[in-house]
Amino acid sequence: MNRRAMIATGTFISALVLAGCQQDTKAPEPVRPVLSMVLEPSSADSTVAVGVVEPRYKTNLAFRVLGRLTARPVYVGDLVSEGQTVGTIDPTALELAVRAAKAELAKAQAQLATTTATEERQRTLITSDATTKQTLDNAEQARAGADASVAHAQANLIKAIEQRGYAQLKADFAGVVTAVGAEVGQVVSPGQSVVTVARPDIREAVVDIGEDFPVPLEIGLPFTVGLQLLPAVQVEGKVREIAPQADPVTRLRRVRIALDNPPESFRLGTTVTAKLGTTQSPTLRVPASAVLAKDGANFLWVIDQPASTVSLHRVDLAGDPAGARITDGLAPGARVVTAGIHSLKPGQQVRIEQDQNP
């Protein structure tokens, strides 16, 4: 009887252990705390970029030769006309180079006259056999060399005269002086900027825009640009140029907006504000941490708030990874998970900890 009792007791204990294991395998998934956010359309009217008015065309004027700056009759803010002299260097060395080139040309021309006369005499003597063919050939060769020396001297003289003209720095077009890079008495090198001239008739707004911009940046995107001190003074414009990459420090991209007939109050250097045109529709944005890339597609974990469970939804995205824009797949008002997306399962219970901004 004792043995039967022991066997019965062991069987009962084994059944209890097996039942406990079955209960453990059927235990529900733990409720996971998650960070989330509600998709809300971002209005384009609330996005404002600050910049300045700059000329589209400007030139850094510099001398082509080395010299000491003797005159710079223009200053920042002065208006200059096309061909006006904006700087002068000491022309003494250039003038001496012209004189030396003229002397070399005169010497070469004299040698040419001598060799030409010698060649003519030898050609006359060869008819009476008073000289040799070798002597005539030497005379012809000397005359040809003297002719080449004259051509070389003439080219040097033209070059020297042209370089003498480099002593004066002239404006290529009418404009306004926006910067000066050298003072009178300073020795300037070839290519060193002396005066910067800009065309004030063609102006544009230059702004820096971050990655969180609500719409994709593209050429032709309309903007409304206004003066920061006089917001009522506004002008329409379109994006003309976008920097290929963001600044490594500020993470902002330089954007140039061509202005459509700006008034005189839009002076160069004036601070302006630029906002998107009214035709731009609101967009939905999500952070990169919320996007789950799988099988060549993008997915978001959407929280069913009444049941506190999650489900995977495929979406179409556009824009930078730091702030992707949803183009299709979800509507405003949906709550999506923004952290821990790789450890969730469909239908899993979650607990909302806090909201996160896109």
Side-chain angles (χ1 to χ4, degrees), residues 206-239:
V206 180
V207 298
D208 294 326
I209 296 179
E211 297 176 342
D212 57 347
F213 203 64
V215 300
L217 289 175
E218 56 186 11
I219 302 299
L221 186 67
F223 274 84
T224 300
V225 182
L227 297 177
Q228 189 177 45
L229 297 180
L230 298 173
V233 181
Q234 297 181 349
V235 66
E236 300 299 322
K238 294 183 179 180
V239 173

Side-chain angles (χ1 to χ4, degrees), residues 13-27:
I13 294 174
S14 299
L16 290 178
V17 172
L18 180 61
C21 293
Q22 291 178 352
Q23 290 179 358
D24 291 341
T25 57
K26 295 181 180 179

Side-chain angles (χ1 to χ4, degrees), residues 268-280:
L268 298 180
T270 304
T271 304
V272 294
T273 58
K275 62 180 181 179
L276 284 171
T278 57
T279 58
Q280 300 299 319

Side-chain angles (χ1 to χ4, degrees), residues 207-209 217 242-247 251-255 320:
V207 298
D208 294 326
I209 296 179
L217 289 175
I242 304 173
Q245 59 184 5
D247 184 272
R251 304 306 304 165
L252 301 176
R253 297 174 68 182
R254 177 66 49 97
V255 177
D320 300 326

Side-chain angles (χ1 to χ4, degrees), residues 310-329:
V310 294
S311 59
L312 205 57
H313 286 249
R314 178 173 178 174
V315 293
D316 294 333
L317 302 178
D320 300 326
R325 292 175 291 274
I326 300 177
T327 58
D328 191 20

Side-chain angles (χ1 to χ4, degrees), residues 99-230:
R99 293 181 183 181
K102 288 182 179 180
E104 289 293 332
L105 177 59
K107 178 181 177 181
Q109 290 174 341
Q111 291 178 349
L112 176 60
T114 300
T115 55
T116 301
T118 302
E119 179 188 3
E120 290 177 354
R121 286 195 303 269
Q122 294 297 327
R123 195 175 299 280
T124 302
L125 293 174
I126 198 65
T127 58
S128 59
D129 294 332
T131 186
T132 62
K133 185 68 169 61
Q134 180 64 40
T135 304
L136 177 59
D137 291 343
N138 291 340
E140 291 177 348
Q141 183 177 2
R143 193 270 311 158
D147 194 8
S149 297
V150 170
H152 184 265
Q154 288 176 341
N156 286 340
L157 177 58
I158 295 175
K159 179 181 178 181
I161 294 175
E162 181 182 2
Q163 288 186 338
R164 183 177 59 183
Y166 295 162
Q168 292 185 342
L169 186 62
K170 299 182 179 181
D172 297 331
F173 51 80
V176 59
V177 177
T178 59
V180 293
E183 299 296 335
V184 175
Q186 180 180 347
V187 176
V188 293
S189 304
Q192 179 182 347
S193 178
V194 176
V195 175
T196 300
V197 178
R199 292 182 56 179
D201 54 335
I202 304 179
R203 289 158 287 171
E204 58 188 12
V206 180
V207 298
D208 294 326
I209 296 179
E211 297 176 342
D212 57 347
F213 203 64
V215 300
L217 289 175
E218 56 186 11
I219 302 299
L221 186 67
F223 274 84
T224 300
V225 182
L227 297 177
Q228 189 177 45
L229 297 180
L230 298 173

